[in-house]
Short mmCIF file of all heavy atoms in Angstrom, two decimals:
data_model
loop_
_atom_site.label_atom_id
_atom_site.label_comp_id
_atom_site.label_asym_id
_atom_site.label_seq_id
_atom_site.Cartn_x
_atom_site.Cartn_y
_atom_site.Cartn_z
N MET E 1 -148.29 -153.78 -107.12
CA MET E 1 -148.70 -153.39 -108.43
C MET E 1 -149.83 -152.37 -108.31
O MET E 1 -150.88 -152.70 -107.73
CB MET E 1 -149.17 -154.64 -109.19
CG MET E 1 -149.90 -154.34 -110.45
SD MET E 1 -150.40 -155.81 -111.37
CE MET E 1 -151.87 -156.25 -110.48
N PRO E 2 -149.64 -151.17 -108.78
CA PRO E 2 -150.74 -150.18 -108.73
C PRO E 2 -151.82 -150.56 -109.72
O PRO E 2 -151.54 -151.08 -110.82
CB PRO E 2 -150.05 -148.88 -109.12
CG PRO E 2 -148.83 -149.27 -109.86
CD PRO E 2 -148.43 -150.61 -109.35
N SER E 3 -153.06 -150.28 -109.36
CA SER E 3 -154.18 -150.60 -110.27
C SER E 3 -155.31 -149.59 -110.04
O SER E 3 -155.34 -148.87 -109.05
CB SER E 3 -154.69 -152.01 -110.02
OG SER E 3 -155.31 -152.10 -108.77
N ALA E 4 -156.22 -149.58 -110.97
CA ALA E 4 -157.45 -148.80 -110.86
C ALA E 4 -158.54 -149.62 -111.52
O ALA E 4 -158.32 -150.21 -112.57
CB ALA E 4 -157.27 -147.44 -111.54
N GLU E 5 -159.70 -149.67 -110.88
CA GLU E 5 -160.77 -150.44 -111.47
C GLU E 5 -161.89 -149.50 -111.90
O GLU E 5 -162.03 -148.38 -111.40
CB GLU E 5 -161.29 -151.52 -110.52
CG GLU E 5 -161.78 -151.04 -109.20
CD GLU E 5 -160.70 -151.04 -108.13
OE1 GLU E 5 -159.62 -151.64 -108.26
OE2 GLU E 5 -160.95 -150.40 -107.10
N LYS E 6 -162.68 -149.96 -112.82
CA LYS E 6 -163.84 -149.20 -113.28
C LYS E 6 -164.79 -148.98 -112.10
O LYS E 6 -164.80 -149.73 -111.13
CB LYS E 6 -164.61 -149.94 -114.39
CG LYS E 6 -163.93 -149.88 -115.74
CD LYS E 6 -164.21 -148.55 -116.34
CE LYS E 6 -163.87 -148.52 -117.80
NZ LYS E 6 -163.88 -147.16 -118.32
N ASP E 7 -165.61 -147.98 -112.21
CA ASP E 7 -166.57 -147.67 -111.15
C ASP E 7 -167.72 -148.71 -111.16
O ASP E 7 -168.77 -148.46 -110.58
CB ASP E 7 -167.14 -146.27 -111.37
CG ASP E 7 -167.87 -145.75 -110.15
OD1 ASP E 7 -167.56 -146.17 -109.05
OD2 ASP E 7 -168.77 -144.90 -110.34
N LEU E 8 -167.51 -149.83 -111.80
CA LEU E 8 -168.49 -150.94 -111.79
C LEU E 8 -168.10 -152.01 -110.78
O LEU E 8 -168.86 -152.92 -110.50
CB LEU E 8 -168.54 -151.59 -113.18
CG LEU E 8 -169.01 -150.67 -114.32
CD1 LEU E 8 -168.82 -151.34 -115.65
CD2 LEU E 8 -170.45 -150.26 -114.11
N VAL E 9 -166.87 -151.94 -110.26
CA VAL E 9 -166.35 -152.93 -109.30
C VAL E 9 -166.51 -152.41 -107.89
O VAL E 9 -165.96 -151.36 -107.53
CB VAL E 9 -164.85 -153.23 -109.61
CG1 VAL E 9 -164.30 -154.22 -108.60
CG2 VAL E 9 -164.68 -153.73 -111.02
N ALA E 10 -167.30 -153.09 -107.09
CA ALA E 10 -167.53 -152.68 -105.71
C ALA E 10 -166.29 -152.98 -104.84
O ALA E 10 -165.69 -154.03 -104.94
CB ALA E 10 -168.74 -153.41 -105.13
N ARG E 11 -165.94 -151.99 -104.03
CA ARG E 11 -164.81 -152.13 -103.10
C ARG E 11 -165.33 -151.61 -101.77
O ARG E 11 -165.84 -150.48 -101.65
CB ARG E 11 -163.63 -151.31 -103.58
CG ARG E 11 -162.38 -151.48 -102.79
CD ARG E 11 -161.19 -150.83 -103.45
NE ARG E 11 -160.61 -151.60 -104.51
CZ ARG E 11 -159.86 -152.66 -104.35
NH1 ARG E 11 -159.60 -153.10 -103.14
NH2 ARG E 11 -159.35 -153.28 -105.39
N ALA E 12 -165.23 -152.44 -100.74
CA ALA E 12 -165.77 -152.09 -99.41
C ALA E 12 -165.25 -150.74 -98.92
O ALA E 12 -164.05 -150.47 -98.95
CB ALA E 12 -165.41 -153.18 -98.40
N GLY E 13 -166.18 -149.87 -98.51
CA GLY E 13 -165.82 -148.58 -97.97
C GLY E 13 -165.49 -147.51 -98.98
O GLY E 13 -165.21 -146.37 -98.61
N VAL E 14 -165.54 -147.84 -100.28
CA VAL E 14 -165.22 -146.89 -101.33
C VAL E 14 -166.48 -146.60 -102.13
O VAL E 14 -167.14 -147.54 -102.59
CB VAL E 14 -164.12 -147.43 -102.26
CG1 VAL E 14 -163.82 -146.46 -103.39
CG2 VAL E 14 -162.84 -147.74 -101.48
N PRO E 15 -166.88 -145.35 -102.32
CA PRO E 15 -168.07 -145.05 -103.08
C PRO E 15 -168.02 -145.73 -104.46
O PRO E 15 -167.03 -145.66 -105.17
CB PRO E 15 -168.06 -143.54 -103.25
CG PRO E 15 -167.28 -143.05 -102.08
CD PRO E 15 -166.22 -144.11 -101.86
N THR E 16 -169.09 -146.44 -104.79
CA THR E 16 -169.21 -147.12 -106.08
C THR E 16 -170.53 -146.66 -106.69
O THR E 16 -171.60 -147.02 -106.23
CB THR E 16 -169.20 -148.66 -105.90
OG1 THR E 16 -167.98 -149.01 -105.21
CG2 THR E 16 -169.24 -149.37 -107.21
N ARG E 17 -170.40 -145.84 -107.74
CA ARG E 17 -171.59 -145.20 -108.30
C ARG E 17 -172.11 -145.83 -109.56
O ARG E 17 -173.16 -145.46 -110.05
CB ARG E 17 -171.24 -143.72 -108.53
CG ARG E 17 -170.89 -143.02 -107.23
CD ARG E 17 -170.51 -141.59 -107.48
NE ARG E 17 -170.22 -140.94 -106.22
CZ ARG E 17 -168.99 -140.73 -105.77
NH1 ARG E 17 -167.95 -141.09 -106.46
NH2 ARG E 17 -168.81 -140.14 -104.61
N TYR E 18 -171.35 -146.74 -110.14
CA TYR E 18 -171.76 -147.39 -111.38
C TYR E 18 -172.04 -146.37 -112.49
O TYR E 18 -172.82 -146.64 -113.40
CB TYR E 18 -172.97 -148.30 -111.16
CG TYR E 18 -172.77 -149.31 -110.06
CD1 TYR E 18 -173.32 -149.10 -108.81
CD2 TYR E 18 -171.99 -150.43 -110.27
CE1 TYR E 18 -173.11 -150.00 -107.78
CE2 TYR E 18 -171.77 -151.35 -109.24
CZ TYR E 18 -172.33 -151.11 -108.00
OH TYR E 18 -172.11 -152.01 -106.99
N GLY E 19 -171.43 -145.20 -112.40
CA GLY E 19 -171.62 -144.15 -113.39
C GLY E 19 -172.97 -143.52 -113.37
O GLY E 19 -173.36 -142.82 -114.30
N SER E 20 -173.76 -143.72 -112.31
CA SER E 20 -175.15 -143.27 -112.30
C SER E 20 -175.38 -142.24 -111.19
O SER E 20 -174.90 -142.40 -110.07
CB SER E 20 -176.06 -144.46 -112.05
OG SER E 20 -177.40 -144.03 -111.89
N ARG E 21 -176.15 -141.24 -111.50
CA ARG E 21 -176.53 -140.24 -110.50
C ARG E 21 -177.45 -140.86 -109.45
O ARG E 21 -177.55 -140.37 -108.33
CB ARG E 21 -177.24 -139.05 -111.14
CG ARG E 21 -176.28 -138.22 -111.98
CD ARG E 21 -176.94 -136.98 -112.48
NE ARG E 21 -177.96 -137.31 -113.46
CZ ARG E 21 -178.74 -136.46 -114.07
NH1 ARG E 21 -178.62 -135.16 -113.80
NH2 ARG E 21 -179.63 -136.85 -114.95
N ALA E 22 -178.14 -141.94 -109.81
CA ALA E 22 -179.04 -142.60 -108.85
C ALA E 22 -178.29 -143.32 -107.73
O ALA E 22 -178.88 -143.66 -106.71
CB ALA E 22 -179.94 -143.60 -109.60
N ARG E 23 -177.00 -143.56 -107.92
CA ARG E 23 -176.20 -144.30 -106.94
C ARG E 23 -175.10 -143.44 -106.31
O ARG E 23 -174.11 -143.97 -105.84
CB ARG E 23 -175.56 -145.51 -107.62
CG ARG E 23 -176.50 -146.48 -108.28
CD ARG E 23 -177.47 -147.13 -107.30
NE ARG E 23 -176.78 -147.91 -106.32
CZ ARG E 23 -176.92 -149.22 -106.15
NH1 ARG E 23 -177.73 -149.90 -106.90
NH2 ARG E 23 -176.25 -149.84 -105.21
N THR E 24 -175.27 -142.14 -106.26
CA THR E 24 -174.19 -141.26 -105.78
C THR E 24 -173.82 -141.49 -104.32
O THR E 24 -172.71 -141.24 -103.92
CB THR E 24 -174.55 -139.78 -105.98
OG1 THR E 24 -175.78 -139.51 -105.33
CG2 THR E 24 -174.64 -139.43 -107.44
N ALA E 25 -174.75 -142.00 -103.50
CA ALA E 25 -174.49 -142.21 -102.08
C ALA E 25 -174.15 -143.66 -101.75
O ALA E 25 -174.00 -144.01 -100.58
CB ALA E 25 -175.67 -141.73 -101.25
N HIS E 26 -173.98 -144.51 -102.76
CA HIS E 26 -173.77 -145.93 -102.50
C HIS E 26 -172.32 -146.22 -102.09
O HIS E 26 -171.38 -145.91 -102.81
CB HIS E 26 -174.09 -146.75 -103.78
CG HIS E 26 -173.87 -148.21 -103.64
ND1 HIS E 26 -174.60 -149.01 -102.79
CD2 HIS E 26 -172.96 -149.03 -104.24
CE1 HIS E 26 -174.17 -150.23 -102.87
NE2 HIS E 26 -173.17 -150.28 -103.73
N VAL E 27 -172.16 -146.79 -100.90
CA VAL E 27 -170.85 -147.20 -100.41
C VAL E 27 -171.01 -148.67 -99.96
O VAL E 27 -171.62 -148.94 -98.91
CB VAL E 27 -170.36 -146.33 -99.25
CG1 VAL E 27 -169.00 -146.80 -98.74
CG2 VAL E 27 -170.31 -144.86 -99.66
N PRO E 28 -170.49 -149.63 -100.74
CA PRO E 28 -170.67 -151.04 -100.38
C PRO E 28 -169.94 -151.43 -99.10
O PRO E 28 -168.90 -150.87 -98.80
CB PRO E 28 -170.11 -151.80 -101.59
CG PRO E 28 -169.32 -150.81 -102.36
CD PRO E 28 -169.75 -149.46 -101.98
N SER E 29 -170.51 -152.42 -98.43
CA SER E 29 -169.87 -152.91 -97.20
C SER E 29 -168.96 -154.11 -97.46
O SER E 29 -168.16 -154.46 -96.63
CB SER E 29 -170.93 -153.28 -96.18
OG SER E 29 -171.82 -154.26 -96.70
N ILE E 30 -169.11 -154.72 -98.64
CA ILE E 30 -168.25 -155.84 -99.03
C ILE E 30 -167.70 -155.58 -100.45
O ILE E 30 -168.31 -154.89 -101.24
CB ILE E 30 -168.96 -157.20 -98.98
CG1 ILE E 30 -170.18 -157.23 -99.90
CG2 ILE E 30 -169.38 -157.54 -97.56
CD1 ILE E 30 -170.80 -158.58 -100.06
N SER E 31 -166.56 -156.15 -100.74
CA SER E 31 -165.92 -156.01 -102.04
C SER E 31 -166.38 -157.10 -102.99
O SER E 31 -166.70 -158.22 -102.55
CB SER E 31 -164.41 -156.05 -101.91
OG SER E 31 -163.92 -154.97 -101.17
N ASP E 32 -166.36 -156.81 -104.29
CA ASP E 32 -166.58 -157.82 -105.31
C ASP E 32 -165.43 -158.82 -105.30
O ASP E 32 -164.30 -158.48 -104.91
CB ASP E 32 -166.68 -157.17 -106.69
CG ASP E 32 -167.99 -156.48 -106.97
OD1 ASP E 32 -168.95 -156.75 -106.22
OD2 ASP E 32 -168.06 -155.72 -107.93
N PRO E 33 -165.68 -160.05 -105.77
CA PRO E 33 -164.60 -161.02 -105.83
C PRO E 33 -163.38 -160.56 -106.65
O PRO E 33 -162.26 -160.89 -106.33
CB PRO E 33 -165.27 -162.23 -106.51
CG PRO E 33 -166.71 -162.12 -106.13
CD PRO E 33 -166.98 -160.64 -106.13
N LEU E 34 -163.62 -159.76 -107.70
CA LEU E 34 -162.52 -159.23 -108.51
C LEU E 34 -161.59 -158.36 -107.63
O LEU E 34 -160.37 -158.51 -107.67
CB LEU E 34 -163.02 -158.46 -109.69
CG LEU E 34 -161.97 -157.77 -110.55
CD1 LEU E 34 -161.04 -158.80 -111.18
CD2 LEU E 34 -162.61 -156.90 -111.60
N ALA E 35 -162.17 -157.46 -106.88
CA ALA E 35 -161.37 -156.59 -106.02
C ALA E 35 -160.61 -157.39 -104.96
O ALA E 35 -159.44 -157.13 -104.69
CB ALA E 35 -162.27 -155.54 -105.34
N GLU E 36 -161.25 -158.39 -104.40
CA GLU E 36 -160.62 -159.24 -103.40
C GLU E 36 -159.46 -160.02 -104.02
O GLU E 36 -158.38 -160.17 -103.40
CB GLU E 36 -161.62 -160.18 -102.79
CG GLU E 36 -162.61 -159.49 -101.90
CD GLU E 36 -163.67 -160.41 -101.32
OE1 GLU E 36 -163.75 -161.58 -101.75
OE2 GLU E 36 -164.42 -159.95 -100.46
N ALA E 37 -159.64 -160.54 -105.23
CA ALA E 37 -158.58 -161.30 -105.91
C ALA E 37 -157.39 -160.40 -106.23
O ALA E 37 -156.23 -160.81 -106.08
CB ALA E 37 -159.12 -161.94 -107.18
N MET E 38 -157.68 -159.16 -106.66
CA MET E 38 -156.57 -158.22 -106.97
C MET E 38 -155.82 -157.88 -105.72
O MET E 38 -154.58 -157.83 -105.73
CB MET E 38 -157.13 -156.96 -107.65
CG MET E 38 -157.64 -157.23 -109.03
SD MET E 38 -158.41 -155.80 -109.80
CE MET E 38 -157.07 -154.63 -109.82
N ASP E 39 -156.50 -157.67 -104.61
CA ASP E 39 -155.85 -157.37 -103.32
C ASP E 39 -154.98 -158.56 -102.87
O ASP E 39 -153.86 -158.38 -102.40
CB ASP E 39 -156.87 -157.02 -102.25
CG ASP E 39 -157.58 -155.69 -102.51
OD1 ASP E 39 -157.09 -154.93 -103.37
OD2 ASP E 39 -158.60 -155.45 -101.86
N ALA E 40 -155.52 -159.76 -103.01
CA ALA E 40 -154.78 -160.96 -102.60
C ALA E 40 -153.54 -161.17 -103.44
O ALA E 40 -152.54 -161.70 -102.96
CB ALA E 40 -155.68 -162.18 -102.71
N ALA E 41 -153.57 -160.68 -104.68
CA ALA E 41 -152.40 -160.80 -105.56
C ALA E 41 -151.37 -159.69 -105.33
O ALA E 41 -150.32 -159.68 -105.96
CB ALA E 41 -152.84 -160.79 -107.02
N GLY E 42 -151.68 -158.75 -104.43
CA GLY E 42 -150.73 -157.70 -104.10
C GLY E 42 -150.97 -156.37 -104.80
O GLY E 42 -150.17 -155.46 -104.69
N ALA E 43 -152.11 -156.24 -105.48
CA ALA E 43 -152.40 -154.99 -106.17
C ALA E 43 -152.78 -153.90 -105.14
O ALA E 43 -153.34 -154.20 -104.09
CB ALA E 43 -153.55 -155.18 -107.15
N ILE E 44 -152.43 -152.68 -105.46
CA ILE E 44 -152.78 -151.53 -104.63
C ILE E 44 -153.74 -150.66 -105.46
O ILE E 44 -153.36 -150.16 -106.53
CB ILE E 44 -151.55 -150.68 -104.27
CG1 ILE E 44 -150.48 -151.52 -103.60
CG2 ILE E 44 -151.95 -149.47 -103.44
CD1 ILE E 44 -150.82 -152.02 -102.23
N SER E 45 -154.97 -150.49 -104.98
CA SER E 45 -155.95 -149.71 -105.72
C SER E 45 -155.65 -148.22 -105.56
O SER E 45 -155.57 -147.72 -104.44
CB SER E 45 -157.36 -150.01 -105.22
OG SER E 45 -158.30 -149.22 -105.93
N LEU E 46 -155.52 -147.53 -106.69
CA LEU E 46 -155.29 -146.08 -106.67
C LEU E 46 -156.59 -145.31 -106.80
O LEU E 46 -156.58 -144.09 -106.66
CB LEU E 46 -154.34 -145.71 -107.79
CG LEU E 46 -152.94 -146.35 -107.74
CD1 LEU E 46 -152.11 -145.91 -108.95
CD2 LEU E 46 -152.26 -146.02 -106.44
N GLY E 47 -157.65 -146.02 -107.10
CA GLY E 47 -158.95 -145.35 -107.23
C GLY E 47 -159.81 -145.95 -108.32
O GLY E 47 -159.49 -147.00 -108.87
N LYS E 48 -160.89 -145.26 -108.62
CA LYS E 48 -161.83 -145.72 -109.63
C LYS E 48 -161.65 -144.94 -110.91
O LYS E 48 -161.24 -143.78 -110.91
CB LYS E 48 -163.28 -145.48 -109.13
CG LYS E 48 -163.60 -146.14 -107.83
CD LYS E 48 -164.00 -147.54 -108.07
CE LYS E 48 -164.51 -148.17 -106.79
NZ LYS E 48 -165.58 -149.13 -107.03
N THR E 49 -161.96 -145.62 -112.02
CA THR E 49 -161.94 -144.93 -113.32
C THR E 49 -163.38 -144.69 -113.75
O THR E 49 -164.32 -145.37 -113.32
CB THR E 49 -161.20 -145.75 -114.39
OG1 THR E 49 -161.88 -146.99 -114.59
CG2 THR E 49 -159.75 -146.01 -113.96
N SER E 50 -163.56 -143.76 -114.62
CA SER E 50 -164.88 -143.37 -115.11
C SER E 50 -165.52 -144.50 -115.91
O SER E 50 -164.84 -145.30 -116.54
CB SER E 50 -164.74 -142.12 -115.97
OG SER E 50 -166.00 -141.68 -116.38
N THR E 51 -166.83 -144.56 -115.89
CA THR E 51 -167.56 -145.55 -116.65
C THR E 51 -168.88 -144.94 -117.13
O THR E 51 -169.38 -143.99 -116.50
CB THR E 51 -167.84 -146.82 -115.83
OG1 THR E 51 -168.35 -147.83 -116.67
CG2 THR E 51 -168.78 -146.56 -114.68
N SER E 52 -169.40 -145.49 -118.19
CA SER E 52 -170.75 -145.08 -118.60
C SER E 52 -171.77 -145.59 -117.61
O SER E 52 -171.47 -146.49 -116.82
CB SER E 52 -171.03 -145.60 -120.01
OG SER E 52 -170.97 -147.00 -120.01
N GLU E 53 -172.97 -145.06 -117.63
CA GLU E 53 -173.98 -145.46 -116.65
C GLU E 53 -174.22 -146.96 -116.70
O GLU E 53 -174.65 -147.48 -117.73
CB GLU E 53 -175.27 -144.67 -116.85
CG GLU E 53 -176.24 -144.90 -115.72
CD GLU E 53 -177.40 -143.91 -115.75
OE1 GLU E 53 -177.67 -143.36 -116.84
OE2 GLU E 53 -178.01 -143.70 -114.72
N PHE E 54 -173.91 -147.62 -115.61
CA PHE E 54 -174.04 -149.09 -115.47
C PHE E 54 -173.26 -149.86 -116.53
O PHE E 54 -173.56 -151.03 -116.76
CB PHE E 54 -175.53 -149.49 -115.43
CG PHE E 54 -176.27 -148.85 -114.31
CD1 PHE E 54 -177.21 -147.87 -114.56
CD2 PHE E 54 -176.05 -149.19 -112.99
CE1 PHE E 54 -177.93 -147.24 -113.53
CE2 PHE E 54 -176.72 -148.58 -111.95
CZ PHE E 54 -177.66 -147.61 -112.23
N GLY E 55 -172.30 -149.23 -117.19
CA GLY E 55 -171.49 -149.88 -118.18
C GLY E 55 -172.24 -150.26 -119.44
O GLY E 55 -171.84 -151.19 -120.16
N LEU E 56 -173.31 -149.53 -119.74
CA LEU E 56 -174.17 -149.91 -120.87
C LEU E 56 -173.68 -149.48 -122.25
O LEU E 56 -174.15 -150.03 -123.24
CB LEU E 56 -175.59 -149.39 -120.62
CG LEU E 56 -176.31 -149.99 -119.42
CD1 LEU E 56 -177.65 -149.34 -119.19
CD2 LEU E 56 -176.50 -151.49 -119.63
N THR E 57 -172.82 -148.51 -122.32
CA THR E 57 -172.36 -148.06 -123.66
C THR E 57 -170.83 -148.23 -123.77
O THR E 57 -170.13 -148.41 -122.79
CB THR E 57 -172.70 -146.58 -123.88
OG1 THR E 57 -172.05 -145.77 -122.90
CG2 THR E 57 -174.19 -146.33 -123.80
N GLY E 58 -170.37 -148.15 -124.99
CA GLY E 58 -168.94 -148.32 -125.26
C GLY E 58 -168.14 -147.03 -125.13
O GLY E 58 -166.95 -147.01 -125.40
N PHE E 59 -168.79 -145.93 -124.76
CA PHE E 59 -168.08 -144.66 -124.58
C PHE E 59 -168.43 -144.14 -123.20
O PHE E 59 -169.44 -144.49 -122.62
CB PHE E 59 -168.49 -143.66 -125.66
CG PHE E 59 -169.98 -143.47 -125.79
CD1 PHE E 59 -170.61 -142.50 -125.04
CD2 PHE E 59 -170.70 -144.26 -126.65
CE1 PHE E 59 -171.98 -142.32 -125.15
CE2 PHE E 59 -172.07 -144.08 -126.77
CZ PHE E 59 -172.72 -143.12 -126.02
N THR E 60 -167.53 -143.29 -122.65
CA THR E 60 -167.72 -142.82 -121.28
C THR E 60 -168.10 -141.35 -121.27
O THR E 60 -167.26 -140.50 -121.30
CB THR E 60 -166.40 -143.06 -120.48
OG1 THR E 60 -166.07 -144.43 -120.58
CG2 THR E 60 -166.58 -142.69 -119.04
N GLU E 61 -169.39 -141.12 -121.27
CA GLU E 61 -169.93 -139.77 -121.15
C GLU E 61 -171.10 -139.77 -120.17
O GLU E 61 -172.24 -139.52 -120.56
CB GLU E 61 -170.35 -139.23 -122.52
CG GLU E 61 -169.16 -139.02 -123.44
CD GLU E 61 -169.53 -138.34 -124.74
OE1 GLU E 61 -170.69 -137.93 -124.92
OE2 GLU E 61 -168.63 -138.20 -125.58
N PRO E 62 -170.83 -140.09 -118.91
CA PRO E 62 -171.90 -140.18 -117.92
C PRO E 62 -172.45 -138.82 -117.53
O PRO E 62 -171.77 -137.81 -117.70
CB PRO E 62 -171.24 -140.85 -116.74
CG PRO E 62 -169.82 -140.45 -116.84
CD PRO E 62 -169.53 -140.35 -118.31
N LEU E 63 -173.67 -138.80 -117.02
CA LEU E 63 -174.28 -137.56 -116.56
C LEU E 63 -173.75 -137.15 -115.18
O LEU E 63 -173.93 -136.03 -114.78
CB LEU E 63 -175.80 -137.72 -116.51
CG LEU E 63 -176.45 -138.00 -117.84
CD1 LEU E 63 -177.94 -138.28 -117.61
CD2 LEU E 63 -176.27 -136.86 -118.79
N ILE E 64 -173.07 -138.07 -114.49
CA ILE E 64 -172.65 -137.80 -113.12
C ILE E 64 -171.43 -136.87 -113.07
O ILE E 64 -171.22 -136.16 -112.10
CB ILE E 64 -172.32 -139.12 -112.40
CG1 ILE E 64 -172.23 -138.92 -110.91
CG2 ILE E 64 -171.10 -139.80 -112.94
CD1 ILE E 64 -172.18 -140.22 -110.09
N HIS E 65 -170.62 -136.80 -114.12
CA HIS E 65 -169.44 -135.92 -114.18
C HIS E 65 -169.03 -135.72 -115.65
O HIS E 65 -169.67 -136.23 -116.55
CB HIS E 65 -168.29 -136.45 -113.34
CG HIS E 65 -167.96 -137.88 -113.62
ND1 HIS E 65 -167.32 -138.28 -114.76
CD2 HIS E 65 -168.19 -139.00 -112.92
CE1 HIS E 65 -167.17 -139.59 -114.74
NE2 HIS E 65 -167.71 -140.06 -113.63
N ALA E 66 -168.00 -134.98 -115.86
CA ALA E 66 -167.54 -134.68 -117.22
C ALA E 66 -167.10 -135.95 -117.95
O ALA E 66 -166.67 -136.92 -117.31
CB ALA E 66 -166.38 -133.71 -117.14
N PRO E 67 -167.18 -135.96 -119.30
CA PRO E 67 -166.76 -137.12 -120.06
C PRO E 67 -165.25 -137.40 -119.90
O PRO E 67 -164.46 -136.48 -119.66
CB PRO E 67 -167.04 -136.72 -121.51
CG PRO E 67 -167.99 -135.61 -121.42
CD PRO E 67 -167.73 -134.92 -120.15
N ALA E 68 -164.90 -138.67 -119.99
CA ALA E 68 -163.49 -139.02 -119.93
C ALA E 68 -162.80 -138.57 -121.21
O ALA E 68 -163.38 -138.66 -122.31
CB ALA E 68 -163.34 -140.54 -119.78
N ARG E 69 -161.60 -138.06 -121.10
CA ARG E 69 -160.86 -137.57 -122.26
C ARG E 69 -159.42 -138.10 -122.25
O ARG E 69 -158.85 -138.29 -121.18
CB ARG E 69 -160.83 -136.03 -122.27
CG ARG E 69 -162.17 -135.39 -122.40
CD ARG E 69 -162.67 -135.53 -123.83
NE ARG E 69 -163.93 -134.84 -123.98
CZ ARG E 69 -165.03 -135.38 -124.44
NH1 ARG E 69 -165.03 -136.66 -124.80
NH2 ARG E 69 -166.12 -134.70 -124.56
N ASP E 70 -158.90 -138.31 -123.41
CA ASP E 70 -157.50 -138.70 -123.58
C ASP E 70 -156.65 -137.46 -123.36
O ASP E 70 -156.91 -136.41 -123.98
CB ASP E 70 -157.30 -139.26 -124.98
CG ASP E 70 -155.91 -139.78 -125.22
OD1 ASP E 70 -154.98 -139.33 -124.56
OD2 ASP E 70 -155.76 -140.67 -126.06
N PRO E 71 -155.63 -137.51 -122.50
CA PRO E 71 -154.82 -136.33 -122.24
C PRO E 71 -154.01 -135.84 -123.45
O PRO E 71 -153.53 -134.72 -123.45
CB PRO E 71 -153.91 -136.74 -121.10
CG PRO E 71 -153.84 -138.21 -121.19
CD PRO E 71 -155.18 -138.66 -121.73
N TRP E 72 -153.90 -136.66 -124.46
CA TRP E 72 -153.14 -136.28 -125.63
C TRP E 72 -154.03 -135.62 -126.65
O TRP E 72 -153.69 -135.10 -127.63
CB TRP E 72 -152.41 -137.47 -126.20
CG TRP E 72 -151.60 -138.14 -125.17
CD1 TRP E 72 -151.84 -139.36 -124.57
CD2 TRP E 72 -150.42 -137.64 -124.52
NE1 TRP E 72 -150.93 -139.62 -123.61
CE2 TRP E 72 -150.02 -138.59 -123.56
CE3 TRP E 72 -149.69 -136.49 -124.64
CZ2 TRP E 72 -148.90 -138.40 -122.76
CZ3 TRP E 72 -148.59 -136.32 -123.82
CH2 TRP E 72 -148.18 -137.27 -122.92
#
C-alpha cells in the first residue's frame, strides 16, 4: 500500500523538518511508532507531505517552501 506521511512523522534516515526552517538539517535515527506500524502493515512510504510549522495551523503555508496547492 503506497502512503505518504506529514512532515511531522519521524522516519529513520529521512529528513524530518516539522515544516520549520529551524529543523532543516534534522535527520532522525529512529522512526516514530506510527511509521513503524505502517511499515509493519506493509505500507510503502513514497515521501513526506507538506505541513505548517510544527503542525500549529490548519493551513499549509510554511516559510520553508512554497504553500501547498490543490492541482485543480
Side-chain angles (χ1 to χ4, degrees):
M1 168 178 81
S3 69
E5 57 268 346
K6 283 283 194 191
D7 195 27
L8 299 171
V9 178
R11 186 172 280 285
V14 178
T16 303
R17 298 178 178 100
Y18 306 102
S20 174
R21 291 186 292 179
R23 303 297 298 243
T24 56
H26 179 66
V27 180
S29 58
I30 60 172
S31 295
D32 283 344
L34 175 63
E36 290 177 352
M38 290 176 61
D39 292 346
I44 305 291
S45 178
L46 299 179
K48 302 276 188 147
T49 63
S50 183
T51 189
S52 59
E53 189 168 21
F54 300 109
L56 294 176
T57 61
F59 53 90
T60 304
E61 294 187 3
L63 298 174
I64 195 170
H65 51 73
R69 297 286 184 234
D70 184 333
W72 305 109

